[in-house]
Amino acid sequence: MQNELVIVLDFGGQYNQLIARRVRECGVYCEVKSYKTPVDELKKLDPKGIIFTGGPNSVYDEKSPHIGKEVFELGIPVLGICYGAQLVAYTLGGKVQSCSVSEYGKTETHYDKSSVIFGNVKDLPDTAISWMSHTDYVAEVPEGFRVTAHTKDCPAAAFENADRKIYAVQFHPEVNHTQHGIAMLDSFVKNVCQCRGDWNMKDYAKTAIEQIRAKVGGGRALLALSGGVDSSVACALMSAAIGDRLTCVFVDHGFMRKNEGDEVENAFKDRNLNFVRVDASERFLSKLEGVSDPETKRKTIGEEFIRVFEEESKKIGKVDFLVQGTIYPDVIESGTGDAAVIKSHHNVGGLPDYVDFKEIIEPLRLLFKDEVRKLGTELGLPDYLVWRQPFPGPGLAIRIIGEITREKLDILRDADLIFREEIANAGLDRDINQYFAVLTNMRSVGVMGDFRTYDYTLALRGVTTSDFMTAEFARIPYDVLEKVSVRVVNEVAHINRVCYDITGKPPSTIEWE
Ligand code: XMP
């Protein structure tokens, strides 16, 4: 049975993924499609509703993305957000013009609760804060429409034609700053689109397992397991589907955190699947001898990883399917290949397909990260795997500045463990999205007892972020930082100084290399 579907039509807004995630949080399956998708194709998908995203353009600029009137003739409910709202007005004969006062940020908004969208939101006051970001505004709504919200500078902050099921909001209901915004989206999908909300990870797991079984038949599949959330959940799902016809190869490059290799092995070895752990640490270390340039490190590790993986897959023999842990944000973002390369990411889930396989299976390609986590829990994976913070493919190799040696790896592992322990002790492990230690290549003078020391400086990094594209440094309390610093200097030889990184991204990146 097919799930109810809502389509988010992307007009170039930065919140396209967020809107889709919010709709899914309402229990309704949602896909992001380009605004160029022909109306016929949209119709064939038989969505219960269509949401137009925001976008950076002006509707009256000829080059900006537009859409034909036919989309409004399908009888499918439409919600336009920000640029999407202006597009609704413009396309249906309203008037859009440049604001005399642009609205940006939290804005007091007055709602008319006779609107089905606002009227069904529990506890929505007549006036509440919405998040605005626009330099054009709808000066006149199209014929047949009525205004259902306004602000001081925006006379049509929301408008609708309930008979035609067309709704528009100038503000962004999907961002947390809009009070009751998510409930408004919920109200649109439930009360206007009439969705029941049939999307949940339990049913998804069941359907995905059936589909995988149908595809793989009696064949065998191979998966590169890193112990990260995506590959772990892909493994659990595949294993539930095909049992011991799945082989997982965990290439231990020797740059894992303290005890991590054993933890990954313990988590998977008794799961009734073929688990192969390859200890390749010697091999990786010797390849990196004398290498201190970050990009060379990344490329060397990425390449060596593929070589080891290929060798192992040959040993295993005839395998038809390669499993990849691709998730939905990767799918949405693929195709926009014109961004500058800041770092060449090595993702063990993202092997190139020149490894000789009949087909690639991507069992998570429809899921957002939070859904992947829910699915992992549904499949019985332990919390420490499901809630694991991201860990880069090249591991500690890019957290040791300069050349990598065994000694430096040991120092960093011990220091990093102390940092993680103290963050957990302070109950901050779920609030800080990523935190780790970096061994700088700098040494300085200190004093221990009555002796002079000349040892390394350790840097601590902690960030809060929702998407890892931008980040703020985490406001870790001083007493927690102090505990870490005292413990590190006392317990880990060759570190005599500890710093905390207080830069955001941008201008820094999260990792140091
Ligand atoms: P940056 O340092 O670019 O990192 O701000 C953003 C996020 O990506 C992670 N990261 C990687 N993940 N392979 C990965 O799978 C990599 O090569 C890689 N490099 C960085 C980083 O930990 C952060 O979460």
Side-chain angles (χ1 to χ4, degrees), residues 298 342-348 390-394 398-399 434 436 468 505 508-513:
R298 284 172 171 277
I342 309 291
K343 298 176 185 182
S344 39
H345 274 205
H346 154 54
N347 185 341
V348 282
F391 185 62
I398 55 161
R399 293 180 181 170
Q434 195 172 7
F436 52 87
F468 298 89
K505 172 185 177 177
S508 286
T509 53
I510 296 174
E511 303 288 346
W512 275 37
E513 287 199 331

Side-chain angles (χ1 to χ4, degrees), residues 79-380:
L79 171 67
I81 296 177
C82 194
Y83 177 83
Q86 294 163 13
L87 202 63
V88 168
Y90 178 83
T91 314
L92 296 176
K95 200 161 152 201
V96 178
Q97 59 191 47
S98 184
C99 304
S100 51
V101 181
S102 300
E103 285 179 310
Y104 183 77
K106 293 180 180 173
T107 309
E108 196 166 84
T109 308
H110 308 280
Y111 296 103
D112 174 348
K113 289 197 285 186
S114 68
S115 160
V116 71
I117 293 197
F118 305 130
N120 281 293
V121 173
K122 201 168 154 259
D123 301 330
L124 177 69
D126 293 337
T127 301
I129 294 298
S130 77
W131 180 261
M132 288 284 192
S133 174
H134 64 119
T135 47
D136 287 349
Y137 79 116
V138 175
E140 268 173 40
V141 300
E143 210 184 306
F145 278 71
R146 70 179 184 114
V147 170
T148 52
H150 67 275
T151 70
K152 186 161 81 52
D153 296 304
C154 182
F159 50 96
E160 66 185 43
N161 182 328
D163 294 337
R164 296 178 68 188
K165 300 196 185 99
I166 303 171
Y167 294 78
V169 290
Q170 180 57 65
F171 56 89
H172 288 272
E174 70 278 16
V175 304
N176 281 327
H177 301 301
T178 296
Q179 293 172 339
H180 305 278
I182 294 155
M184 293 171 193
L185 283 175
D186 188 77
S187 181
F188 173 72
V189 295
K190 304 275 169 63
N191 299 312
V192 179
C193 305
Q194 302 285 319
C195 292
R196 296 179 313 277
D198 62 0
W199 174 247
N200 63 66
M201 284 304 110
K202 194 175 181 156
D203 293 346
Y204 176 82
K206 211 169 128 233
T207 316
I209 287 168
E210 282 163 14
Q211 285 169 349
I212 293 165
R213 282 187 185 144
K215 183 169 212 168
V216 177
R220 303 188 62 85
L222 189 67
L223 180 145
L225 185 71
S226 68
V229 184
D230 302 341
S231 69
S232 298
V233 174
C235 168
L237 189 61
M238 289 299 298
S239 153
I242 63 169
D244 66 0
R245 280 179 293 117
L246 173 72
T247 302
C248 294
V249 178
F250 166 46
V251 178
D252 186 349
H253 48 26
F255 307 133
M256 306 296 277
R257 288 166 291 193
K258 186 102 175 175
N259 305 327
E260 201 167 22
D262 294 341
E263 277 171 22
V264 173
E265 179 166 352
N266 290 334
F268 289 97
K269 71 170 193 247
D270 297 327
R271 283 189 151 257
N272 190 30
L273 52 83
N274 300 306
F275 176 86
V276 181
R277 175 175 177 177
V278 188
D279 179 0
S281 52
E282 284 296 339
R283 199 170 155 162
F284 276 84
L285 257 187
S286 72
K287 279 270 167 198
L288 288 174
E289 219 177 284
V291 176
S292 55
D293 172 60
E295 275 302 284
T296 316
K297 279 184 189 173
R298 284 172 171 277
K299 292 210 170 101
T300 310
I301 295 170
E303 244 175 76
E304 195 60 11
F305 184 89
I306 306 293
R307 296 288 92 79
V308 177
F309 187 78
E310 276 177 339
E311 285 169 27
E312 289 307 312
S313 62
K314 276 196 196 110
K315 281 188 209 158
I316 291 157
K318 182 88 191 90
V319 181
D320 303 310
F321 299 90
L322 178 68
V323 186
Q324 300 214 94
T326 318
I327 66 172
Y328 197 45
D330 309 332
V331 176
I332 300 178
E333 276 156 24
S334 66
T336 56
D338 46 4
V341 174
I342 309 291
K343 298 176 185 182
S344 39
H345 274 205
H346 154 54
N347 185 341
V348 282
L351 291 168
D353 54 14
Y354 69 78
V355 200
D356 187 18
F357 290 95
K358 195 168 97 185
E359 222 176 307
I360 303 227
I361 301 183
E362 297 176 315
L364 311 177
R365 67 177 280 119
L366 296 180
L367 305 184
F368 286 110
K369 195 81 165 186
D370 46 338
E371 294 174 319
V372 172
R373 291 204 159 101
K374 276 190 202 140
L375 178 63
T377 304
E378 196 60 57
L379 293 164

Side-chain angles (χ1 to χ4, degrees), residues 2 4-5 7 41-49 76:
Q2 207 183 321
E4 299 165 333
L5 168 70
I7 287 178
E41 217 171 282
L42 290 177
K43 190 176 169 192
K44 266 192 221 136
L45 293 169
D46 193 23
K48 305 281 274 182
I76 300 169

